[in-house]
Amino acid sequence: MSNQSLPTDAVEAPAYVLPERPLLTLVPSRGWVALNLADVWAHRELLYFLTWRDIKIRYKQTALGAVWALIQPLFPMLIFTLFFGRLAKMPSDGIPYSVFAYAGLLPWTFFAAAVTNSSTSIVGSSNLITKVYFPRMIIPAASVLAALVDFAIAFTLLAGLMVWHKIPISLNVLMLLPLICLLTLLALGVGLLFSALTVKFRDIRFALPFLVQVWMFATPVIYPASLVPEKWRWVLALNPGTGIIEGFRAALFGLPFQWAFLAYSICFAIMMLIYAAYSFRRLEKTFADLI
């Protein structure tokens, strides 16, 4: 190869001088980030797909299939009816104890399943998270919606028990749908928070089922709130599940609503959901590194 010298009349390019300070600096966000709910809405078809996937996986290769949705609240109801209803003579606000207990166990079983399943949903979807982009909130939300299908199946048994015991329906039943929405919002808030925390602290997936079980006995699921002395009832009301479970029974059996309990549960569920959503958005940028 021959060496060819550059033409002597070529114009020499001016040397580029770097600025003393960078023109653009990228730093991680430290404050609250936007929720990007419009992005979540744009991916609503993915939410439907993941919900259907969770339902199919749950009952795949099972002999009883969706019957498990009935068994989960039914067997505890039978045990509690034997020990608390027949032997301990637990008061039940004039309602047959078996129906009383099932009406509390049904929403609580949904809440416990939604929170437990959604808390491990991010870790269980590691392959999906590390490959494609989509709003990560959709994953725990799909777990909550999948548990709502089980709730609908198990509700048919409650309707049968009410017909069997000839329990009349009042206008209070109109509050049933808002209460189910409220319980779903509370489950979504708790599930979002713990799903993000479980990515970093894996102990949570072992501790959470135990905490949910303790939470159940601190909630009037198998006993009425009226069993607690009135001067200590405000302590029971601090539990957001109290207003919802008591309201659920009031809607079904025509009992008076505890509006103060219910108002506290509404405020708690909304605040919990907002805090959990923002916390989830702050933590989700570390998911791909930690998962």
Side-chain angles (χ1 to χ4, degrees), residues 79-280:
I79 294 172
F80 290 138
T81 299
L82 175 62
F83 287 97
F84 292 98
R86 296 293 179 88
L87 300 180
K89 304 296 182 183
M90 178 80 72
S92 55
D93 292 337
I95 308 297
Y97 187 82
S98 58
V99 189
F100 176 88
Y102 193 85
L105 287 167
L106 176 60
W108 186 262
T109 302
F110 157 66
F111 176 77
V115 169
T116 305
N117 294 337
S118 59
S119 66
T120 58
S121 60
I122 297 293
V123 176
S125 303
S126 58
N127 293 333
L128 201 58
I129 289 177
T130 53
K131 289 180 180 176
V132 294
Y133 168 76
F134 61 92
R136 309 309 191 204
M137 287 184 184
I138 287 179
I139 297 177
S143 298
V144 174
L145 292 180
L148 199 56
V149 175
D150 289 350
F151 173 85
I153 296 172
F155 191 88
T156 58
L157 181 57
L158 176 61
L161 288 173
M162 292 181 65
V163 172
W164 175 264
H165 289 281
K166 299 179 180 179
I167 298 175
I169 297 176
S170 67
L171 290 177
N172 286 7
V173 77
L174 297 177
M175 281 291 293
L176 198 57
L177 185 59
L179 286 167
I180 294 172
C181 294
L182 178 61
L183 185 59
T184 305
L185 291 180
L186 181 62
L188 181 60
V190 178
L192 275 176
L193 183 61
F194 281 105
S195 65
L197 293 176
T198 302
V199 176
K200 191 172 184 178
F201 307 103
R202 302 297 172 93
D203 292 340
I204 291 177
R205 60 181 171 179
F206 300 107
L208 189 59
F210 169 73
L211 293 176
V212 169
Q213 194 170 17
V214 173
W215 193 353
M216 186 193 80
F217 287 102
T219 307
V221 173
I222 56 175
Y223 57 88
S226 58
L227 188 67
V228 179
E230 191 167 356
K231 66 177 181 178
W232 295 111
R233 211 167 290 170
W234 65 272
V235 178
L236 193 66
L238 294 177
N239 180 354
T242 299
I244 299 176
I245 298 297
E246 286 287 297
F248 200 80
R249 288 200 187 99
L252 287 170
F253 307 137
L255 302 173
F257 285 100
Q258 301 287 340
W259 292 109
F261 291 4
L262 198 53
Y264 172 78
S265 299
I266 293 172
C267 294
F268 186 95
I270 294 174
M271 296 297 293
M272 183 68 193
L273 182 59
I274 294 173
Y275 175 76
Y278 277 104
S279 299
F280 186 95

